Amino acid sequence: MSERITTPFGFGSTALEVVEGVDLSGRRAVVTGGASGIGVETVRALAAAGAEVTIAARDVEAGRKVAADVSATTGNGSVSVAPLELTSQESVKAFVAAWDGPLHLLINNAGVMASPLTRTPEGWELQFATNHLGHFTLTLGLFDALRAEGARVVNVSSAGHLSSPVVFEDIHFERREYDRWKAYGQSKTANVLFGVEAGRRWSGDGITMNALMPGGILTALQRHISQEELQERIRLRGGGDNPLQLKTPEQGAATTLVLAVSPLVEGRSGLYFEDCNEALPHAEGTTNGVAAYATDPEAAAQLWKVSEETVKVQA
């Protein structure tokens, strides 16, 4: 077993602090969901380090506003926007078809949380379709671009993965009662498992993939949650009388940037980070760490097979 990775950064670090002194000139990055929340600060930090950044967003107009703001604040004019709707396989494949040249950083950041039961036209449960299947199709579709010069793929997961493994017997809640938090949890577990199997399959292609918990950040991600429920979850996630400490979006994007640029992560795949450091195994009764089922190689291989069969895309 490799030694656990620790970095000079922690809970309060910001994305801009992580990239300070880092030169990403000549590197190309895609950030899904880069038009809101921690995605904006991820784009800003990558641009500040000199990367050419494409914001992949549902709302192209919002993306254009972010691109203009980031260019103005960083002096980097190489920030653009492209349409991407992760729940639409057609949209994802159109994005892939339009991409030209190498890709060095793919930040699978976009997501939906705790939504009411909603199905895509294919009948897929919305959270799994958005958080995992859309990113699976996108990443496999961009495989040749990623392989061209070696690349890092970063999946924004969540401590929410602790609420559920991937339930292969009924991923899309066709037979069991829908639970929006378990649906969210299994989609976030899938984000971690994706990196485990990618590490096995792609180690010879120079592509690495890792996942992270950004922290508790109040963004549009919570749009499906009432204020009362949100406050209760903040209390419970912190452990009763010690509420969860919230992060700013700038702090929430920091762990993403560690996985994207830190030399300490070079050549490593299938890891799960929180607060800018590799997470410890989850301990019963706590609300952090990584669940054993999220790094299980057999589950990772099964998820890949199921995902390929579902979206009919291979790499």
Side-chain angles (χ1 to χ4, degrees):
M1 179 179 290
S2 300
E3 186 175 344
R4 175 175 174 249
I5 298 173
T6 58
T7 77
F9 306 104
F11 176 94
S13 300
T14 67
L16 287 174
E17 289 171 349
V18 173
V19 299
E20 188 174 352
V22 174
D23 183 7
L24 295 179
S25 301
R27 310 290 281 180
R28 305 176 77 202
V30 168
V31 182
T32 70
S36 65
I38 65 172
V40 174
E41 301 311 320
T42 300
V43 171
R44 193 184 313 279
L46 291 170
E52 176 189 327
V53 188
T54 298
I55 298 170
R58 283 187 307 171
D59 187 337
V60 174
E61 186 53 41
R64 289 195 183 106
K65 290 177 181 176
V66 170
D69 174 65
V70 168
S71 291
T73 57
T74 65
N76 184 342
S78 298
V79 183
S80 60
V81 186
L84 177 69
E85 171 53 76
L86 286 165
T87 60
S88 165
Q89 289 286 302
E90 183 178 336
S91 173
V92 175
K93 290 172 183 175
F95 181 95
V96 168
W99 185 264
D100 184 42
L103 176 61
H104 307 95
L105 294 169
L106 173 57
I107 313 297
N108 290 326
N109 166 83
V112 61
M113 182 171 75
S115 61
L117 178 58
T118 309
R119 299 194 182 279
T120 67
E122 297 90 349
W124 306 335
E125 188 276 317
L126 181 72
Q127 296 188 78
F128 195 80
T130 305
N131 299 344
H132 173 62
L133 292 175
H135 283 125
F136 183 84
T137 300
L138 178 68
T139 307
L140 267 64
L142 291 169
F143 175 77
D144 287 337
L146 292 164
R147 182 175 55 174
E149 294 186 29
R152 295 191 191 190
V153 181
V154 180
N155 299 332
V156 177
S157 180
S158 168
H161 86 273
L162 297 171
S163 67
S164 179
V166 175
V167 181
F168 291 104
E169 297 77 17
D170 189 16
I171 287 176
H172 299 288
F173 292 85
E174 294 165 318
R175 294 176 297 281
R176 55 183 170 140
E177 183 178 356
Y178 181 68
D179 181 314
R180 59 184 179 152
W181 288 109
K182 290 190 182 302
Y184 178 67
Q186 74 163 359
S187 74
K188 295 288 102 179
T189 293
N191 293 154
V192 189
L193 289 172
F194 188 12
V196 172
E197 180 66 3
R200 187 187 73 80
R201 288 173 177 253
W202 294 351
S203 60
D205 296 299
I207 304 170
T208 61
M209 186 188 300
N210 295 291
L212 68 117
M213 159 61 168
I217 309 109
L218 296 180
T219 68
L221 186 65
Q222 289 89 21
R223 62 186 175 276
H224 296 297
I225 309 168
S226 69
Q227 275 300 310
E228 294 77 12
E229 184 179 9
L230 182 59
Q231 291 305 315
E232 178 63 9
R233 291 193 69 82
I234 288 173
R235 186 184 70 80
L236 292 175
R237 278 273 296 120
D241 295 330
N242 298 300
L244 171 70
Q245 282 187 282
L246 297 176
K247 293 185 179 185
T248 64
E250 293 85 353
Q251 292 170 328
T255 307
T256 297
L257 270 298
V258 166
L259 289 176
V261 307
S262 174
L264 297 170
V265 193
E266 188 75 39
R268 300 288 298 275
S269 274
L271 304 179
Y272 174 86
F273 271 53
E274 57 190 7
D275 295 335
C276 297
N277 291 276
E278 185 179 351
L280 293 166
H282 173 63
E284 194 67 36
T286 66
T287 56
N288 54 14
V290 61
Y293 55 68
T295 56
D296 175 54
E298 290 187 9
Q302 185 176 1
L303 175 67
W304 191 290
K305 182 174 184 291
V306 168
S307 301
E308 280 187 333
E309 291 170 350
T310 302
V311 302
K312 298 177 176 56
V313 171
Q314 294 181 314

